[in-house]
Amino acid sequence: ALASVNIAVGPVVIKNFQCMFILTDIIRLGAIWLLMGLRDEGSEGTRAVLGRLVDTSSPLTLAPLRRLTAPTSESSRRDAAERLGRVGSPLAVEELITALDDVSPDVRLAAARALGDIGDARAVPALTAKLTDLAAGIEEQAAHSLGFIGDWSATRPLTEVLSGPVAGVRIAALRALARLGDPASAPAVIAQLS
């Protein structure tokens, strides 16, 4: 059992539990101060994480995210994907990646476009898979989005598509490679242009 502790600070009296809460707050602040010096390569700062949390709580993000994942009409899911792309919330990336496999080609196209608008590199593997998925019907948009994301890990899949059968996809891949600016793509681009 705790002994009775009463600390008077002017007209305010602080009792047992209040002292315990103040002590734990001091310990937490001390831990945060100690952790501020730690850096992990590739990690995001506190401001970026808090900014994403603010974006998530925004009705501009939550409502379309719910509509995208709910069994709603095709037009509602497409509109949700488009709105998430305009908002640019990185927290929507996983749901948009899932939407790349939606039954509706319009929703798949809107999701691919939104992923390019958001520009998060987590979407690169899913979009590169769609470059050669003729059944999905979003190869051109996947290439465009990869160019807007700007991650050089997309260079090889984009150069491989340059020899593919669909002219529109080849052109979109060339534009994406130009946007990426990876010197490793130069020989493949020059070969296509000659």
Side-chain angles (χ1 to χ4, degrees), residues 52-142:
R52 286 186 182 185
L53 289 174
V54 169
D55 285 347
T56 303
S57 62
S58 165
L60 293 175
T61 301
L62 286 180
L65 194 54
R66 283 190 197 119
R67 265 189 268 130
L68 183 63
T69 59
T72 57
S73 70
E74 174 185 336
S75 62
S76 179
R77 293 191 316 276
R78 182 197 62 236
D79 293 345
E82 290 171 352
R83 181 170 289 165
L84 288 169
R86 283 192 303 271
V87 171
S89 174
L91 293 171
V93 170
E94 297 301 324
E95 297 302 331
L96 288 166
I97 289 171
T98 302
L100 291 174
D101 294 318
D102 194 274
V103 295
S104 165
D106 290 339
V107 174
R108 293 192 301 265
L109 187 65
R113 188 176 300 117
L115 287 167
D117 292 342
I118 292 171
D120 193 308
R122 292 177 293 164
V124 170
L127 288 169
T128 56
K130 295 301 176 190
L131 286 173
T132 56
D133 184 358
L134 299 177
I138 59 169
E139 306 85 11
E140 285 183 48
Q141 185 58 54

Side-chain angles (χ1 to χ4, degrees), residues 24-39 46:
T24 58
D25 285 343
I26 291 170
I27 292 170
R28 285 182 187 151
L29 288 173
I32 291 171
W33 181 75
L34 288 172
L35 291 173
M36 285 174 56
L38 295 177
R39 296 283 181 243
T46 307

